[in-house]
Amino acid sequence: MMTASLSATPAVPPLGLLQRLGVALYRRPGLQLALLLGLPLLWFLVVYIGSLATLLAQSFFTFDDFTMEVSRELTLANYQQLLQPANFDVVLRTLSMASAVTLASAVLAFPLAYYMVRYARGWKKGFFYVAVMLPMWASYIVKVYAWTVLLAKDGIVYWAYQHLGLGSVVDWLMTIPLLGGNSLTTSHLGRFAVFTYIWLPFMILPIQAALERVPLGLMQASSDLGASGAQTFRHVILPLAFPGVVAGSIFTFSLTLGDYIIPQIIGPSGLFIGSMVYTMQGSIGNMPLAAAFTVVPVVIIALYLTGARKLGAFDAL
């Protein structure tokens, strides 16, 4: 009887190739992770890290001003040239603009993001989201050239401040060395305005995401304990939303630091790090000095990201 019952048991069909592969991956999580991340990590190591390592190596090469050729003779002369007044001024000018744009973007973005989170409802909330995202859909070059028309002496900005009676104030601002120029289009103030406009959405969205995570119960508890609106903002809202500000500053600071198109189109003469790299590599062919200039924002951003990580900015992205 037992023999008959055993012979009646149907045979299990052999597993196919895909099934065996699935079982092997299930039993070996490490192999599954390696197959999943192998190609992206290879791309990251070869293309990204490899290009940065090549760039770093080239910053130590020697450039012959007479023959206009690059030799593999290692030297620190390129980094010593960065400390020369003209080159160091380029670094300071870029850092100053990046810091100013980041600060202005935070000041402008926070109240708008706060209104979007706490007060906008229904179609109004959708309208603000579209209004913030819509400029990001337009071409970067088109937006920059559009601002040259807006800031021109016959543009709408000129017409607006003239009709508001602010012509004398703007003329006075144009006489300040660090702000002014012949017109808004050729002024540091105009360049600052364009930078702020271009990168402002990158500050609004992280702050908005951080404010969405602030529980309403904390603000209600603060009010119940007798705190004023200013105290609630200072001790409850701002500390919880500050990682979003830092996260947004990563974008505004780094994008301004490496931009080379806006400084060439808007504002007075004066190179930024991006335009200096383009000039050294494209016009002169001094690749080692261009690489040394490129290392500067890489180091600055690495230090900035380290500080941002400690402030919890990555949790707000």
Side-chain angles (χ1 to χ4, degrees), residues 276-293:
M276 190 68 173
V277 171
Y278 178 81
T279 301
M280 288 291 104
Q281 192 274 335
S283 302
I284 302 176
N286 191 348
M287 188 62 186
L289 184 58
F293 265 105

Side-chain angles (χ1 to χ4, degrees), residues 237-260:
I237 299 175
L238 186 58
L240 294 176
F242 188 70
V245 178
V246 179
S249 71
I250 294 174
F251 297 105
T252 57
F253 185 81
S254 61
L255 292 172
T256 305
L257 199 64
D259 193 276
Y260 74 98

Side-chain angles (χ1 to χ4, degrees), residues 1-287:
M1 294 295 292
M2 183 179 296
T3 305
S5 62
L6 289 176
S7 61
T9 304
V12 179
L15 296 177
L17 178 61
L18 293 179
Q19 292 174 325
R20 291 198 301 270
L21 180 61
V23 171
L25 291 177
Y26 178 77
R27 293 176 177 177
R28 297 176 177 85
L31 178 61
Q32 183 179 0
L33 184 63
L35 292 176
L36 180 65
L37 299 180
L39 187 60
L41 285 178
L42 181 64
W43 174 271
F44 179 79
L45 291 175
V46 174
V47 176
Y48 186 73
I49 301 298
S51 62
L52 287 180
T54 303
L55 182 70
L56 179 62
Q58 289 180 341
S59 67
F60 294 102
F61 290 170
T62 301
F63 178 76
D64 193 328
D65 295 327
F66 181 73
T67 62
M68 307 292 288
E69 294 181 353
V70 178
S71 64
R72 295 181 179 273
E73 182 182 351
L74 301 182
T75 179
L76 293 175
N78 300 310
Y79 290 99
Q80 292 174 353
Q81 291 186 48
L82 294 180
L83 300 178
Q84 294 179 359
N87 294 330
F88 194 67
D89 182 65
V90 172
V91 177
L92 288 181
R93 185 184 304 118
T94 308
L95 282 175
S96 300
M97 182 61 72
S99 301
V101 170
T102 299
L103 180 61
S105 298
V107 172
L108 294 174
F110 202 100
L112 180 58
Y114 187 81
Y115 181 85
M116 290 170 59
V117 172
R118 297 304 177 197
Y119 297 102
R121 294 291 183 272
W123 68 269
K124 293 182 179 180
K125 195 164 189 174
F127 169 79
F128 276 102
Y129 276 107
V130 173
V132 171
M133 297 291 293
L134 191 61
M136 301 174 67
W137 300 345
S139 170
Y140 171 82
I141 298 294
V142 170
K143 290 186 289 186
V144 175
Y145 274 108
W147 270 97
T148 62
V149 178
L150 294 175
L151 296 176
K153 286 191 175 181
D154 295 330
I156 189 172
V157 175
Y158 176 84
W159 175 87
Y161 71 70
Q162 288 291 339
H163 281 73
L164 291 174
L166 300 175
S168 59
V169 177
V170 176
D171 293 339
W172 172 73
L173 289 175
M174 292 299 99
T175 61
I176 301 176
L178 297 178
L179 292 178
N182 296 328
S183 65
L184 283 174
T185 308
T186 59
S187 66
H188 292 288
L189 182 61
R191 178 182 289 163
F192 164 78
V194 175
F195 266 128
T196 305
Y197 165 79
I198 294 293
W199 308 135
L200 184 60
F202 294 91
M203 179 66 80
I204 295 176
L205 296 178
I207 295 178
Q208 177 269 330
L211 287 172
E212 290 279 5
R213 299 190 185 101
V214 178
L216 288 174
L218 291 180
M219 292 183 284
Q220 294 173 353
S222 176
S223 178
D224 293 340
L225 293 173
S228 63
Q231 290 174 326
T232 301
F233 175 81
R234 180 181 176 183
H235 297 287
V236 178
I237 299 175
L238 186 58
L240 294 176
F242 188 70
V245 178
V246 179
S249 71
I250 294 174
F251 297 105
T252 57
F253 185 81
S254 61
L255 292 172
T256 305
L257 199 64
D259 193 276
Y260 74 98
I261 294 178
I262 292 177
Q264 291 182 337
I265 299 176
I266 306 291
S269 60
L271 296 172
F272 277 50
I273 291 179
S275 53
M276 190 68 173
V277 171
Y278 178 81
T279 301
M280 288 291 104
Q281 192 274 335
S283 302
I284 302 176
N286 191 348
M287 188 62 186

